[in-house]
Amino acid sequence: MHDHTTSTTDDDHVYLSLAEATPGPEGEGRWAYGTGFADPLLGVDTALPAGTDGADLAAYCQMLGDDALVLSQRLIEWCTRAPELEEEVALANLGLDLLGQARLLLTRAGQADGSGRTEDDLAYWREDHEFRNVRMVEAPNGDFAYSIARLLLFATARGALYEALAGHPDPVLAAVAARGVKELAYHREYATAWTLRLGDGTPYSAERMRAGLDAVWPLLEELFTAHPVELRVGVDPATLREPVLASLGAVLAEAGLTVPEVPPLATVLGRAGRDGVHTEALGPLLAELQVLARAHPGATW
Amino acid sequence: MVTAEVAEAIPAQTPEDRFEAVVAAEQRIEPRDWMPDAYRATLIRQIAQHAHSEIIGMQPEGNWLTRAPSLRRKAILLAKAQDEAGHGLYLYAAAETLGVDRAELTEKLISGRQKYSSIFNYPTLTFADVGVIGWLVDGAAICNQVPLCRCSYGPYARAMVRICKEESFHQRQGYELLMTLMRGTEAQRRMVQDAVDRWWWPSLMMFGPSDADSPNSARSMAWRIKRHSNDELRRRFVDMTVPQAEHLGVTLPDPELRWNEERGGWDFGEPDWSELNRVIRGQGPCNAQRIDRRRAAHEDGAWVREAAVAYAAKRAAEQSHTEEENGK
C-alpha cells in the first residue's frame, strides 16, 4: 500500500536538490552522452601510439569530426519543425549522437596535433575553408524526404567506416568508432524505416522520396573519394563503395525505389570538402553556429 | 490493482460514491473507472494544456540551439529539448486515456482553442535566458508539478513522477549555466541580470491569478487534482528562490521584496496582472510566432504522417492476406 501521510515538505525534495552546491556525478547517466560534467575521454589512453603521425591523425579526426558536427547542426535545425513528436525525439537523439562523436573527435584532433586546441576552439574559431567535412552534410535540410535520404546515405557509409576503424591503432579513434558503430546502426535503421514508409506510402510521398534521393545522390561519391590523409592514417573510403551501394540498393528495392542514375557533383579544381572547398551552404551554417562564441572571445560558457 | 483493492475495501455503492471514496482515500482513479464528466473535462483541459506547454516550450530554447556558444552547452540544450518532446508524448498519452486523441488536441492548440503556459510567449533574447528559463521557469514548473505526482488521476500522476525528475535536472543545468556566467566576464554577468529582470515577473505569474480570482481552484482541490492554492505555491517558490538568487549574485527586480520575520517567509510585490492578461489574450510578444511555428510543423508534416499511415495499412493488408492464405 502507498503511504498517504506524505507531508507538504516531501513535495520539495526534487526542487531542493538544486541547493546542493556542486553537482556531483550521481544521476549523470540519464543524460545523453557528453552532456554531463565528466571528461568525455575518461578511461581511454590518450597518448599517441608509436609511429602515428600526429598531424595526419589530427587532420583525419577533424574530417570525421566536422562531418558529425555539421550534420548534427542540420539535424538540430529540425527541432520544433518535425512532422510528428516521435520524430522530434528521434531527430534530436541522432543529433546528440553525432554531436557527441564530433566532440570526441575534435578533442582528439587538438591533442594529436600538439596544439592543445579544445573541441570549442576547433568548432568555433576555424574559418569555413578550414572545415574538412564532406559537402553532403552541409547541404540544407530540404524537406523531410531529403533529410531522410541524406541520413540514409550518410549513416550507411559512416557505419561501414566506423566498423573498419574500430580496430584503428589510435585507441581514442578506435573507441569513438566502436561506440559510433552502434549509434550509426540505429541512424541507419531509422532512415531505412522512413525510406520504406515514404517510398511505399502514398504516391506523393514516393515522389518526394525519389526527388530527395535524386538530389542527394550526386554527393555520395565524395564519401568514397580518398584524400591523401585518409590513405595515410585512416581507412581508404573507396573500399566502402561496394558494400555501401549494395546495402543502399537493397533498401531502395524494398521501398519500391530505384537507385538514381545521376552523375557525382563536380569538384572545384579537383578539390572538395575534405580539402576545405565547400558549397555556399557551409558559410551561413557556421556563421550561425559560431556567432555567439565569437562575440565573446575568451569567455567561458 | 489499486482500484480492485479499494473496491473490496469499500462496500458497493453508486459509482459516484465510489469515486468520492477513492479520491478521499488518496487512491488513484484509473481510466476505466467511472468519473464525473466535469472531472474528466477538467483533466483533459489541464493535461492537454500541460502537454502543449512542453511542446511550445521547446521553441524559446530552441531559438538558441543552433547558436549555443559551446558544444557542451549545445548538447545539454538539445538533450533538454528532446526531454520536452518526450514529456509532451507522455502527457498526450495520459490525456488519451481520457478518451481524446493527440491529433484532436493538436488541432485545438493550433486553432487557439486550447492554451499553453503564457510564459512561452516571451522572447529569449540572450543565451542567459536559457539558464534563467532552467532556473526560474523550470523551477516554478517544478513547484507546480511536484504536487501533481500525487494527483488523483493515476496516468497523470505517474507521468508527472518521471517528468519532475527530468525537470529537476533541467533546473540544475540552468542554474549551473548561470553560475558559470556569473563567474565569467562583465558582459556575461550583465546578460544574466538582464535575463533575470525580464523573466522574474512572468515566472511568478506562472502560478496563475491570486486565489481570490481563481474560480476553478476549489473544485480541483476537492478532486485532489490540485493540492495547494496558487498563492501558496507562489510564496513557496519565492521563498526557495531568494536564497538561490543571493548565492548566484543577482538582484530580483522587486523593491518590495523583504523578509517577514513573523511569517518566516519573504514578502513580495504584486505582478502586473494586466500585462499577463494581455499575453493570455494573444497580445504577447511571441503568441503568434509560437502558434505559427507549431502549425507550420504540423501542416508541413501532414504528407509524412499520411505516408506512414498508408504504409502501415499496406503492411496490415498484406499480413491479413497472408493469414487468410495460410488459413486455407
Side-chain angles (χ1 to χ4, degrees), chain B residues 66-140:
Chain B
T66 54
R67 292 177 291 165
S70 77
L71 297 186
R72 176 171 165 268
R73 292 293 173 200
K74 192 190 281 284
I76 289 171
L77 194 54
L78 183 54
K80 181 177 181 189
Q82 186 190 22
D83 283 348
E84 283 162 351
H87 296 173
L89 279 172
Y90 313 147
L91 288 164
Y92 283 121
E96 285 183 331
T97 64
L98 292 159
V100 288
D101 72 52
R102 200 207 300 179
E104 180 186 334
L105 299 176
T106 303
E107 279 301 329
K108 286 188 173 160
L109 168 66
I110 62 185
S111 62
R113 283 175 294 152
Q114 279 179 345
K115 301 283 182 201
Y116 53 90
S117 178
S118 283
I119 194 81
F120 302 121
N121 289 320
Y122 290 90
T124 50
L125 302 177
T126 73
F127 197 71
D129 290 32
V130 168
V132 170
I133 287 179
W135 174 41
L136 296 180
V137 175
D138 293 341

Side-chain angles (χ1 to χ4, degrees), chain A residues 11 73 80 86 124 288 301, chain B residues 66 68 73 102 146 293:
Chain A
D11 284 347
Q73 181 82 353
T80 73
E86 284 81 356
Y124 292 94
E288 188 174 353
W301 300 91
Chain B
T66 54
R73 292 293 173 200
R102 200 207 300 179
V146 168
R293 167 73 67 83

Side-chain angles (χ1 to χ4, degrees), chain A residues 46-63 105-117 122 132 168 170 173 229 232-234:
Chain A
T46 57
L48 275 192
T52 302
D53 181 314
D56 272 353
L57 180 63
Y60 191 51
C61 287
Q62 273 183 41
M63 290 173 180
L105 289 163
L106 294 179
T107 301
R108 186 55 172 164
Q111 292 167 345
D113 67 9
S115 67
R117 283 180 296 176
L122 288 164
R132 301 282 202 121
H168 195 273
D170 178 43
L173 186 51
V229 163
R232 288 199 296 270
V233 76

Side-chain angles (χ1 to χ4, degrees), chain A residues 23-36:
Chain A
E26 82 288 350
E28 295 300 342
R30 54 109 13 237
W31 283 99
Y33 183 68
T35 58

Side-chain angles (χ1 to χ4, degrees), chain B residues 173-226:
Chain B
Q173 298 276 14
Y175 195 75
E176 189 265 344
L177 167 58
L178 297 177
M179 287 298 285
T180 305
L181 298 186
M182 291 304 287
R183 285 192 296 259
T185 65
E186 184 53 36
Q188 287 176 309
R189 277 191 290 278
R190 275 202 308 273
M191 208 182 265
V192 175
Q193 183 62 56
D194 165 65
V196 169
D197 290 347
R198 282 182 289 107
W199 289 95
W200 172 249
W201 292 109
S203 300
L204 287 192
M205 291 192 263
M206 284 176 71
F207 296 94
S210 70
D211 296 345
D213 302 320
S214 185
N216 296 325
S217 286
R219 197 173 59 174
S220 283
M221 292 195 28
W223 278 337
R224 306 286 203 272
I225 294 174
K226 200 177 162 84

Side-chain angles (χ1 to χ4, degrees), chain A residues 155-168:
Chain A
T156 305
R158 190 48 38 100
L161 178 67
Y162 279 163
E163 250 173 62
L165 281 175
H168 195 273

Side-chain angles (χ1 to χ4, degrees), chain B:
Chain B
M1 261 171 53
V2 171
T3 42
E5 283 168 25
V6 173
E8 281 167 29
I10 301 168
Q13 319 115 326
T14 64
E16 289 87 338
D17 290 342
R18 195 179 160 284
F19 171 86
E20 296 294 341
V22 169
V23 169
E26 294 282 349
Q27 298 287 4
R28 302 286 164 260
I29 300 295
E30 295 298 334
R32 287 155 186 259
D33 296 342
W34 183 90
M35 62 188 85
D37 290 344
Y39 175 87
R40 183 184 299 273
T42 297
L43 277 168
I44 290 173
R45 187 174 52 85
Q46 182 171 335
I47 300 173
Q49 185 165 324
H50 192 168
H52 297 332
S53 299
E54 294 284 355
I55 300 307
I56 296 290
M58 293 166 71
Q59 290 184 33
E61 293 171 305
N63 180 37
W64 286 95
L65 267 175
T66 54
R67 292 177 291 165
S70 77
L71 297 186
R72 176 171 165 268
R73 292 293 173 200
K74 192 190 281 284
I76 289 171
L77 194 54
L78 183 54
K80 181 177 181 189
Q82 186 190 22
D83 283 348
E84 283 162 351
H87 296 173
L89 279 172
Y90 313 147
L91 288 164
Y92 283 121
E96 285 183 331
T97 64
L98 292 159
V100 288
D101 72 52
R102 200 207 300 179
E104 180 186 334
L105 299 176
T106 303
E107 279 301 329
K108 286 188 173 160
L109 168 66
I110 62 185
S111 62
R113 283 175 294 152
Q114 279 179 345
K115 301 283 182 201
Y116 53 90
S117 178
S118 283
I119 194 81
F120 302 121
N121 289 320
Y122 290 90
T124 50
L125 302 177
T126 73
F127 197 71
D129 290 32
V130 168
V132 170
I133 287 179
W135 174 41
L136 296 180
V137 175
D138 293 341
I142 292 167
C143 269
N144 268 329
Q145 290 169 8
V146 168
L148 290 173
C149 298
R150 293 189 292 130
C151 162
S152 61
Y153 188 58
Y156 191 28
R158 289 188 289 273
M160 290 318 303
V161 170
R162 180 157 176 193
I163 289 172
C164 284
K165 280 185 189 158
E166 295 186 348
E167 293 287 357
S168 73
F169 276 98
H170 298 167
Q171 197 201 18
R172 201 179 79 179
Q173 298 276 14
Y175 195 75
E176 189 265 344
L177 167 58
L178 297 177
M179 287 298 285
T180 305
L181 298 186
M182 291 304 287
R183 285 192 296 259
T185 65
E186 184 53 36
Q188 287 176 309
R189 277 191 290 278
R190 275 202 308 273
M191 208 182 265
V192 175
Q193 183 62 56
D194 165 65
V196 169
D197 290 347
R198 282 182 289 107
W199 289 95
W200 172 249
W201 292 109
S203 300
L204 287 192
M205 291 192 263
M206 284 176 71
F207 296 94
S210 70
D211 296 345
D213 302 320
S214 185
N216 296 325
S217 286
R219 197 173 59 174
S220 283
M221 292 195 28
W223 278 337
R224 306 286 203 272
I225 294 174
K226 200 177 162 84
R227 300 213 166 242
H228 310 285
S229 78
N230 295 350
D231 287 333
E232 211 180 328
L233 289 168
R234 191 170 8 247
R235 277 195 300 273
R236 187 189 299 184
F237 173 71
V238 172
D239 287 345
M240 286 172 167
T241 306
V242 170
Q244 292 169 355
E246 279 170 6
H247 183 62
L248 195 56
V250 296
T251 307
L252 297 173
D254 179 357
E256 294 175 45
L257 194 66
R258 56 182 57 86
W259 179 251
N260 182 328
E261 192 63 58
E262 198 182 321
R263 197 168 64 76
W266 290 86
D267 288 339
F268 52 95
E270 193 68 21
D272 179 356
W273 295 110
S274 66
E275 184 182 284
L276 177 70
N277 288 331
R278 291 192 59 199
V279 176
I280 290 173
R281 282 200 302 272
Q283 298 159 19
C286 302
N287 297 56
Q289 164 190 343
R290 301 289 186 238
I291 289 296
D292 284 352
R293 167 73 67 83
R294 185 72 194 97
R295 184 187 297 116
H298 188 67
E299 289 173 0
D300 293 350
W303 68 271
V304 175
R305 297 190 299 275
E306 282 159 20
V309 169
Y311 178 80
K314 286 182 195 179
R315 298 292 82 80
E318 277 175 12
Q319 178 83 11
S320 68
H321 184 68
T322 314
E323 278 165 14
E324 261 174 45
E325 298 266 294
N326 293 345
K328 285 170 196 167

Side-chain angles (χ1 to χ4, degrees), chain A residues 248-259:
Chain A
L248 291 173
V251 172
L252 299 191
E254 196 187 338
L257 300 161
T258 49
V259 173

